[in-house]
Amino acid sequence: MKKKKNPTIKDIAAIADVSPATVSRVLNYDTALNVPNETRRRVFEAAEELEYESPGAKKRKNKQSVFGFFSTYSAEAELEDVYYLAVRVAVEKYATMNDIQIEMIDRTSKKDILSKIEGVLCLGSFENEDADWLKNLGKPAVFVDTFRENDDFSSVLIDTRLGTKKAMDCLLENGHEKIGFIGGIDIPGEKDTRQLVFEERLNNLSLLKAEWVKLGQYTPKDGYRLFKELMTQKERPTAVFIANDSMAVGCYKAAHELGLRIPEDISLIGFNDLASAEFLIPALTTIHLPIDYLVEVATTLLKRSIEKPLPYPVKVVIPPRLIERDSISKI
């Protein structure tokens, strides 16, 4: 897939069949905007699609492959944390370009659907019952940005630890020592990797303040709430590491309401580099996760597993990179 240069709000509006003003308000999670969820979905999908230019689907030479796509995220959850929508869109684009039919499946899918799929791409947080169901399905499966340590499934992951290290390096190199964290919990009782690395790094430097670590859901709503909790304390940080870009949107809104200028009064860095990140004002510095490559590698690995079963499960880790924009100031 070939990278497209600088998609604009007008480009997104044309594909989504809405006004540029609607695109701007959707990407900024404007809660006062009264549009159907289907409209919001079209805008987010158009934004992700414009990140890459398709060279066109390949001409069919052989029988079309049929892959299952098992996601634990509902359409509503995708709109709250657009990362998972972006992964689904990337899967659909890659499938179109490579003559693969995608069937959305889950544990309630009918036998006639399950019988025709050759393998499964899996996205989300899976319970033991899900893993057992996949094993009993008897089809090769690859987990996308998810890893189950005790199961015989291959996985392709983003190096979240490295991404967090790069985010912290960026803040520290810009002179910030008073750093807050806004994040969430994926698995009850377990700290997310981003929080673990953040706390380890600042604890080693004797800079960690527990009261500056705020946790909630990975949504704009909780980003807004947690940022206000953090920044209305008597002592507050000069910079905040935000665990995903959806939360960052809420942080931007809260900063505006508190009269805080980004980056003059507070520096922010996100994680994911969703399409909306560059449209925030100022544009968000964030950690770019190569979703298109993640999907390409996962699908290639699934094809290989279908053609010839792997003797051992494979774990592939892909490094993210820092995208510097305008939301961090040097002090």
Side-chain angles (χ1 to χ4, degrees), residues 196-212:
L196 282 171
V197 176
F198 171 87
E199 292 180 345
E200 288 171 3
R201 185 70 178 277
L202 290 190
N203 192 51
N204 289 338
L205 297 171
S206 299
L207 297 175
L208 179 63
K209 287 185 175 289
E211 62 270 26
W212 288 352

Side-chain angles (χ1 to χ4, degrees), residues 13-284:
I15 291 178
D17 194 26
V18 296
S19 70
T22 297
V23 171
S24 179
R25 294 178 70 181
V26 168
L27 292 181
N28 283 280
Y29 288 86
D30 186 340
T31 55
L33 179 62
N34 184 21
V35 296
N37 278 347
E38 179 56 34
T39 301
R40 296 179 188 273
R41 188 170 297 109
R42 288 206 316 272
V43 170
F44 284 122
E45 288 180 349
E48 294 303 329
E49 287 170 7
L50 276 173
E51 286 293 289
Y52 298 94
E53 208 170 42
S54 169
K58 297 179 180 178
K59 292 182 179 180
R60 184 177 301 177
K61 294 181 180 179
N62 303 306
K63 180 181 176 183
Q64 187 178 35
S65 298
V66 182
F67 292 174
F69 185 65
F70 184 11
S71 173
T72 60
Y73 292 93
S74 66
E76 291 72 21
E78 283 187 345
L79 290 177
E80 291 288 351
D81 187 349
V82 187
Y83 173 72
Y84 298 102
L85 181 147
V87 174
R88 176 177 60 77
V89 169
V91 168
E92 292 169 349
K93 287 191 296 182
Y94 185 86
T96 299
M97 292 168 57
N98 291 274
D99 200 23
I100 299 169
Q101 179 183 337
I102 296 293
E103 291 284 352
M104 305 299 291
I105 65 168
D106 58 28
R107 288 161 56 187
T108 67
S109 295
K110 295 181 179 179
K111 288 184 178 179
D112 61 329
I113 298 294
L114 297 177
S115 64
K116 68 179 182 179
I117 65 172
E118 301 164 52
V120 186
L121 292 170
C122 306
L123 175 70
S125 299
F126 293 87
E127 304 293 337
N128 289 333
E129 292 81 2
D130 298 318
D132 291 340
W133 179 79
L134 280 168
K135 289 176 183 177
N136 292 331
L137 189 61
K139 311 277 187 177
V142 174
F143 282 70
V144 183
D145 208 15
T146 306
F147 176 65
R148 291 183 58 86
E149 190 166 349
N150 297 318
D151 288 322
D152 294 328
F153 295 115
S154 292
S155 57
V156 182
L157 309 167
I158 299 293
D159 193 339
T160 305
R161 177 171 285 274
L162 175 61
T164 303
K165 179 182 181 299
K166 290 184 176 184
M168 295 304 295
D169 285 345
C170 179
L171 293 177
L172 291 165
E173 288 168 5
N174 276 284
H176 294 279
E177 295 186 346
K178 297 180 177 181
I179 305 173
F181 177 84
I182 290 178
I185 301 171
D186 282 321
I187 302 173
E190 294 186 19
K191 288 185 179 181
D192 176 76
T193 300
R194 286 158 289 195
Q195 182 186 352
L196 282 171
V197 176
F198 171 87
E199 292 180 345
E200 288 171 3
R201 185 70 178 277
L202 290 190
N203 192 51
N204 289 338
L205 297 171
S206 299
L207 297 175
L208 179 63
K209 287 185 175 289
E211 62 270 26
W212 288 352
V213 175
K214 300 292 182 180
L215 304 176
Q217 300 297 313
Y218 292 103
T219 64
K221 182 178 179 181
D222 270 18
Y224 172 86
R225 175 179 63 84
L226 297 172
F227 186 86
K228 282 203 166 181
E229 287 182 12
L230 176 62
M231 298 306 292
T232 53
Q233 296 182 41
K234 185 175 181 180
E235 185 181 7
R236 61 194 191 188
T238 62
V240 182
F241 172 41
I242 308 163
N244 78 0
D245 291 354
S246 295
M247 298 186 91
V249 172
C251 293
Y252 267 62
K253 180 180 179 182
H256 176 73
E257 291 183 4
L258 292 171
L260 296 174
R261 299 167 300 162
I262 304 170
E264 293 86 352
D265 301 320
I266 182 70
S267 291
L268 303 180
I269 188 167
F271 201 96
N272 286 357
D273 193 28
L274 298 176
S276 57
E278 65 179 305
F279 294 111
L280 292 172
I281 301 175
L284 178 66

